[in-house]
Amino acid sequence: MTVYESDLPGVGKKHEIELGDDSRLVVVTHNTGKREVFRREDPDADSEKLFELSDSLARQVGTILEGAYFQPVRSDLIETALAGDTVLEWVAVDDDDPVAGKTLAESG
């Protein structure tokens, strides 16, 4: 991931972040604190404005994005912990599988 930074005299700063598919996320931080977020399909295309945030809201969203409120835990399995020692594990079932369309009780 490459981040490009440039000064916008009289406005603030612009950061462009490569997203991996030739598109870029563009964040303009105004001297007032306002943030504008754009998406650019490729480096030569015009940017499309996605949304705008006030300074305080941008800081709140930023802390969520950086993981200050929640740190995801990676798992090779998709499972949900329930009360006690019970774990609900999700398993993909093909349409032609004998248990497809049945409840747990019906499938035995």
Side-chain angles (χ1 to χ4, degrees), residues 50-92:
L50 299 175
F51 56 90
E52 183 177 307
L53 300 170
S54 67
D55 182 56
S56 62
L57 184 55
R59 291 174 188 279
Q60 289 175 330
V61 170
T63 58
I64 291 169
L65 289 174
E66 76 176 351
Y69 290 96
F70 173 73
Q71 288 290 324
V73 178
R74 283 212 163 156
S75 174
D76 292 337
L77 303 173
I78 300 172
E79 56 185 34
T80 303
L82 301 174
D85 294 331
T86 305
V87 174
L88 179 63
E89 184 176 333
W90 297 92
V91 178

Side-chain angles (χ1 to χ4, degrees), residues 1 6 13 20-21 29-30 34-35 44 56 81 83 92-93 95 103:
M1 174 185 77
S6 56
K13 281 234 190 255
D21 61 355
T29 304
H30 292 254
K34 174 177 81 171
R35 271 56 156 213
D44 298 322
S56 62
V93 177
D95 290 337
T103 66

